Amino acid sequence: MNATRILQAGRQPMIRFLGKRTTPSHVDHAPQPHPASPTHSLPESFASYRQKAQQHGPLNQSRDYSSGVGSTPGSALGPVEAGKGFYFDRSELPARFQRMTWSQAEIEAIESGGASMFA
């Protein structure tokens, strides 16, 4: 019972701090290039950075949407057919794999939480 108190009294912390905590008197907040930067330099301006930046494609494209992804309708790409043994919708499957229709008794059983089956 008292063994815990005895053990805690003689316990030494495993971490030893050297000296008193001090904050630096001067911290340089000037922009610095990242140490892993390929050019080891900062861009001249944000606009020049945007001209060269890539994120899921070039960022400097205009927003007129006249070319690129989405510029042509899907119907212009031609017909899309499923390969042999593949189906796009469950209604295209053979009858034994299609959705079964619910009977009125099943609908009532679900809506009542199953109580109508036993009443």
Side-chain angles (χ1 to χ4, degrees), residues 16-61:
R16 300 200 192 287
F17 296 100
L18 302 176
K20 189 177 179 181
R21 290 186 213 167
T22 59
T23 56
S25 60
H26 177 69
V27 178
D28 184 20
H29 291 288
Q32 300 289 329
H34 192 274
S37 167
T39 60
H40 301 291
S41 64
L42 292 172
E44 302 82 40
S45 68
F46 185 71
S48 67
Y49 163 76
R50 292 274 297 185
Q51 291 295 321
K52 299 177 214 161
Q54 293 272 337
Q55 179 181 1
H56 312 297
L59 293 176
N60 62 349
Q61 290 180 348

Side-chain angles (χ1 to χ4, degrees), residues 73-81:
S75 60
L77 298 174
V80 178
E81 299 292 330

